[in-house]
Amino acid sequence: HRAGGGLLERGRVYGRIGHHHMELRVPELWRETVEIDHAHAGHEGKKPLMAWAEAILRAHARRSTVLDVTWRGEEGHGSGPTRKFFEKVAAELASREENEACCCWRDVGDADKEGLFPAELPEDNEERTRMLGRLRLIGLFIAKALQQGQKPGLFLARPLIKLVLGDEVGFDDVKDLDSQLAAGVSKVQEWQELKSRALEAGGGMEEEERLRCVTFVNGELGMLENEKGEKVTCDNLDPYVKQLEHECVRRFHIPHQVEALREGIEEVLPWKSLRVFRPEEIQQMLWSDIEWGEGGLEALVRPGPTWPQERQQVAWLRELLASMDTRGRRAFLRFVTASVCKPAATNPIIVYPQVEASPARGRGGGGGDRKL
C-alpha cells in the first residue's frame, strides 16, 4: 500500500521556469508490510528472531520502499513496531549469547564504552566462514537501517567505521580498544616527551637537570630493543615510538572483516556513498549518543504544562540522569521510552506530577501528595 514519509519526507517543491512558477509534489512512497511470528521463537518449530531478520533483510535489500514490520498477535503497526524490530535485531547482534555462537566481536562486554569491533579471523575454515557471513548480515542490517532512517542502537567502534569508509586509522583511534597494550605504548611516549623537553633548546632546564633527565630515560629504556635488535636509547627513541604505534595499529588491521561488512552494505547501497558522512555522524545515526550535558537535558527532560520549568523535582531528575553512566542511561531510556536511543528534541520526555490522596483524608478529602 502507499503511504507518505519513510525514505523521503513528503512535501511540496516550488520551482521557477522563466517567469512562471511551478508547483511540484514529491510522490508518495510505497510501503511493504511483513509480519513476524515471534511467539516462542526458537521453540516448537518457530523461527528464531535472527532467522526472521535475515530473511526480511535479504528480501528487502534491493527495494527502496518503506519497510513496515508488524508482530503477530499485536495490534500495533507503523513506525513503533518497525523500530522495535530494528532495535531487537541490533540487541541480538550485540548480545553475548550470539557472540558465543558466532564469535564476531572482540569483547561485547566493553561495547558500551568503546563500541563493537570485529574479532580476529578464526583459523578453522568453518568458523571463519560463519563469522564472515554474520559480518555480511551486519553490513546489510547497517545499510538498511540507514536507508530506512532507523536508529537501531547498534554501537560500532569509531575505528571500525573509519576502516569501512576507507579512512586512515592511527594510534589515537585504536588505543582505547586494547587498554593494556595502549598503556605500554603511552608510557614510552611519556619518556619520549621527557627526552624531547630535556634536549630542546631553550626548554627552561639547566644543563645538570637535562643530563639527569636523559640518564633517567635511558635507564627506563634499558631493557627495550627495536625491530633491528638494537638497544633503545634517547638517540633512537623517536623511530622506536613510531614502530610501537605502527604495531599497535596493525593489530587492528582487519581487511577480510571490513570487506565482508562492505559486501553486506553493497546489497543495499554503494558503500562509498557513505563517505559523504563523517564516522561520528554514522555512529550517531546507528546508535545515538547518550552523552548529554546540562543544556541537552533541559531540552530532553521537560516539565508538563502544570509545572514551572524550575521545579525542584525536575531539576533533581536531570541531575540524577547527568550522573549516570552510559549503561544506566540506556536502561533509563529503555524503561521510559522503550528505546535505547535518545529521543529527538521534538519528542522530549515530559514529566508530570502524580497526585495521591492522603490516607488520613480518605476519599473526597481534597488535596494530596504530589510526586514524580
Side-chain angles (χ1 to χ4, degrees), residues 355-371:
V355 180
E356 293 184 353
S358 174
R361 300 189 182 188
R363 290 187 179 180
D369 299 325
R370 297 167 69 86
K371 65 178 183 179

PDB file of all heavy atoms in Angstrom, residues 355-371:
ATOM      1  N   VAL A 355      -0.541  12.666  41.583  1.00  0.00           N
ATOM      2  CA  VAL A 355      -1.248  13.088  42.794  1.00  0.00           C
ATOM      3  C   VAL A 355      -1.842  11.871  43.479  1.00  0.00           C
ATOM      4  O   VAL A 355      -2.573  11.094  42.860  1.00  0.00           O
ATOM      5  CB  VAL A 355      -2.358  14.110  42.459  1.00  0.00           C
ATOM      6  CG1 VAL A 355      -3.081  14.529  43.731  1.00  0.00           C
ATOM      7  CG2 VAL A 355      -1.761  15.310  41.746  1.00  0.00           C
ATOM      8  N   GLU A 356      -1.477  11.665  44.731  1.00  0.00           N
ATOM      9  CA  GLU A 356      -2.023  10.566  45.514  1.00  0.00           C
ATOM     10  C   GLU A 356      -2.763  11.137  46.725  1.00  0.00           C
ATOM     11  O   GLU A 356      -2.240  12.002  47.430  1.00  0.00           O
ATOM     12  CB  GLU A 356      -0.912   9.630  45.982  1.00  0.00           C
ATOM     13  CG  GLU A 356      -0.229   8.881  44.848  1.00  0.00           C
ATOM     14  CD  GLU A 356       0.787   7.898  45.373  1.00  0.00           C
ATOM     15  OE1 GLU A 356       1.029   7.917  46.600  1.00  0.00           O
ATOM     16  OE2 GLU A 356       1.329   7.117  44.577  1.00  0.00           O
ATOM     17  N   ALA A 357      -3.937  10.630  46.954  1.00  0.00           N
ATOM     18  CA  ALA A 357      -4.731  11.098  48.100  1.00  0.00           C
ATOM     19  C   ALA A 357      -4.095  10.620  49.393  1.00  0.00           C
ATOM     20  O   ALA A 357      -3.633   9.494  49.491  1.00  0.00           O
ATOM     21  CB  ALA A 357      -6.165  10.587  48.003  1.00  0.00           C
ATOM     22  N   SER A 358      -4.054  11.484  50.391  1.00  0.00           N
ATOM     23  CA  SER A 358      -3.502  11.117  51.694  1.00  0.00           C
ATOM     24  C   SER A 358      -4.437  10.149  52.389  1.00  0.00           C
ATOM     25  O   SER A 358      -5.654  10.355  52.403  1.00  0.00           O
ATOM     26  CB  SER A 358      -3.307  12.377  52.547  1.00  0.00           C
ATOM     27  OG  SER A 358      -2.915  12.020  53.847  1.00  0.00           O
ATOM     28  N   PRO A 359      -3.929   9.040  52.963  1.00  0.00           N
ATOM     29  CA  PRO A 359      -4.816   8.085  53.654  1.00  0.00           C
ATOM     30  C   PRO A 359      -5.621   8.730  54.764  1.00  0.00           C
ATOM     31  O   PRO A 359      -6.747   8.328  55.045  1.00  0.00           O
ATOM     32  CB  PRO A 359      -3.828   7.043  54.209  1.00  0.00           C
ATOM     33  CG  PRO A 359      -2.606   7.173  53.367  1.00  0.00           C
ATOM     34  CD  PRO A 359      -2.523   8.617  52.992  1.00  0.00           C
ATOM     35  N   ALA A 360      -5.042   9.719  55.418  1.00  0.00           N
ATOM     36  CA  ALA A 360      -5.752  10.366  56.538  1.00  0.00           C
ATOM     37  C   ALA A 360      -6.976  11.111  56.055  1.00  0.00           C
ATOM     38  O   ALA A 360      -7.965  11.247  56.766  1.00  0.00           O
ATOM     39  CB  ALA A 360      -4.798  11.298  57.288  1.00  0.00           C
ATOM     40  N   ARG A 361      -6.898  11.603  54.812  1.00  0.00           N
ATOM     41  CA  ARG A 361      -8.013  12.394  54.315  1.00  0.00           C
ATOM     42  C   ARG A 361      -9.071  11.531  53.647  1.00  0.00           C
ATOM     43  O   ARG A 361     -10.219  11.899  53.558  1.00  0.00           O
ATOM     44  CB  ARG A 361      -7.494  13.447  53.345  1.00  0.00           C
ATOM     45  CG  ARG A 361      -6.484  14.391  53.996  1.00  0.00           C
ATOM     46  CD  ARG A 361      -6.153  15.549  53.090  1.00  0.00           C
ATOM     47  NE  ARG A 361      -5.156  16.410  53.706  1.00  0.00           N
ATOM     48  CZ  ARG A 361      -4.787  17.585  53.215  1.00  0.00           C
ATOM     49  NH1 ARG A 361      -5.343  18.026  52.109  1.00  0.00           N
ATOM     50  NH2 ARG A 361      -3.878  18.315  53.824  1.00  0.00           N
ATOM     51  N   GLY A 362      -8.586  10.379  53.131  1.00  0.00           N
ATOM     52  CA  GLY A 362      -9.557   9.476  52.514  1.00  0.00           C
ATOM     53  C   GLY A 362     -10.133  10.060  51.241  1.00  0.00           C
ATOM     54  O   GLY A 362      -9.655  11.067  50.713  1.00  0.00           O
ATOM     55  N   ARG A 363     -11.201   9.425  50.787  1.00  0.00           N
ATOM     56  CA  ARG A 363     -11.816   9.901  49.556  1.00  0.00           C
ATOM     57  C   ARG A 363     -12.526  11.212  49.782  1.00  0.00           C
ATOM     58  O   ARG A 363     -13.167  11.435  50.791  1.00  0.00           O
ATOM     59  CB  ARG A 363     -12.853   8.882  49.076  1.00  0.00           C
ATOM     60  CG  ARG A 363     -12.227   7.571  48.567  1.00  0.00           C
ATOM     61  CD  ARG A 363     -13.287   6.700  47.973  1.00  0.00           C
ATOM     62  NE  ARG A 363     -12.720   5.467  47.460  1.00  0.00           N
ATOM     63  CZ  ARG A 363     -13.424   4.509  46.880  1.00  0.00           C
ATOM     64  NH1 ARG A 363     -14.750   4.643  46.760  1.00  0.00           N
ATOM     65  NH2 ARG A 363     -12.828   3.424  46.422  1.00  0.00           N
ATOM     66  N   GLY A 364     -12.391  12.058  48.811  1.00  0.00           N
ATOM     67  CA  GLY A 364     -13.048  13.345  48.895  1.00  0.00           C
ATOM     68  C   GLY A 364     -12.445  14.283  49.891  1.00  0.00           C
ATOM     69  O   GLY A 364     -12.997  15.311  50.215  1.00  0.00           O
ATOM     70  N   GLY A 365     -11.270  13.886  50.483  1.00  0.00           N
ATOM     71  CA  GLY A 365     -10.652  14.727  51.480  1.00  0.00           C
ATOM     72  C   GLY A 365      -9.977  15.938  50.899  1.00  0.00           C
ATOM     73  O   GLY A 365      -9.610  16.836  51.626  1.00  0.00           O
ATOM     74  N   GLY A 366      -9.768  15.883  49.553  1.00  0.00           N
ATOM     75  CA  GLY A 366      -9.121  17.033  48.918  1.00  0.00           C
ATOM     76  C   GLY A 366      -7.644  17.009  49.104  1.00  0.00           C
ATOM     77  O   GLY A 366      -7.124  16.419  50.044  1.00  0.00           O
ATOM     78  N   GLY A 367      -6.958  17.651  48.242  1.00  0.00           N
ATOM     79  CA  GLY A 367      -5.515  17.743  48.334  1.00  0.00           C
ATOM     80  C   GLY A 367      -4.859  16.413  48.041  1.00  0.00           C
ATOM     81  O   GLY A 367      -5.453  15.501  47.497  1.00  0.00           O
ATOM     82  N   GLY A 368      -3.647  16.249  48.452  1.00  0.00           N
ATOM     83  CA  GLY A 368      -2.918  15.013  48.212  1.00  0.00           C
ATOM     84  C   GLY A 368      -1.447  15.266  48.094  1.00  0.00           C
ATOM     85  O   GLY A 368      -1.006  16.414  48.097  1.00  0.00           O
ATOM     86  N   ASP A 369      -0.684  14.203  48.064  1.00  0.00           N
ATOM     87  CA  ASP A 369       0.768  14.312  47.928  1.00  0.00           C
ATOM     88  C   ASP A 369       1.126  14.278  46.452  1.00  0.00           C
ATOM     89  O   ASP A 369       0.618  13.472  45.688  1.00  0.00           O
ATOM     90  CB  ASP A 369       1.442  13.146  48.665  1.00  0.00           C
ATOM     91  CG  ASP A 369       1.130  13.162  50.142  1.00  0.00           C
ATOM     92  OD1 ASP A 369       1.026  14.270  50.680  1.00  0.00           O
ATOM     93  OD2 ASP A 369       0.980  12.073  50.721  1.00  0.00           O
ATOM     94  N   ARG A 370       2.069  15.144  46.080  1.00  0.00           N
ATOM     95  CA  ARG A 370       2.469  15.224  44.682  1.00  0.00           C
ATOM     96  C   ARG A 370       3.908  14.710  44.547  1.00  0.00           C
ATOM     97  O   ARG A 370       4.775  15.079  45.327  1.00  0.00           O
ATOM     98  CB  ARG A 370       2.406  16.673  44.181  1.00  0.00           C
ATOM     99  CG  ARG A 370       0.984  17.240  44.222  1.00  0.00           C
ATOM    100  CD  ARG A 370       0.989  18.734  44.034  1.00  0.00           C
ATOM    101  NE  ARG A 370       1.376  19.127  42.704  1.00  0.00           N
ATOM    102  CZ  ARG A 370       0.546  19.216  41.673  1.00  0.00           C
ATOM    103  NH1 ARG A 370      -0.729  18.892  41.825  1.00  0.00           N
ATOM    104  NH2 ARG A 370       0.965  19.622  40.485  1.00  0.00           N
ATOM    105  N   LYS A 371       4.104  13.823  43.594  1.00  0.00           N
ATOM    106  CA  LYS A 371       5.450  13.279  43.356  1.00  0.00           C
ATOM    107  C   LYS A 371       5.606  13.033  41.852  1.00  0.00           C
ATOM    108  O   LYS A 371       4.636  13.112  41.089  1.00  0.00           O
ATOM    109  CB  LYS A 371       5.641  11.992  44.125  1.00  0.00           C
ATOM    110  CG  LYS A 371       4.738  10.851  43.688  1.00  0.00           C
ATOM    111  CD  LYS A 371       5.023   9.589  44.481  1.00  0.00           C
ATOM    112  CE  LYS A 371       4.169   8.422  43.987  1.00  0.00           C
ATOM    113  NZ  LYS A 371       4.445   7.180  44.726  1.00  0.00           N
TER     114      LYS A 371
END
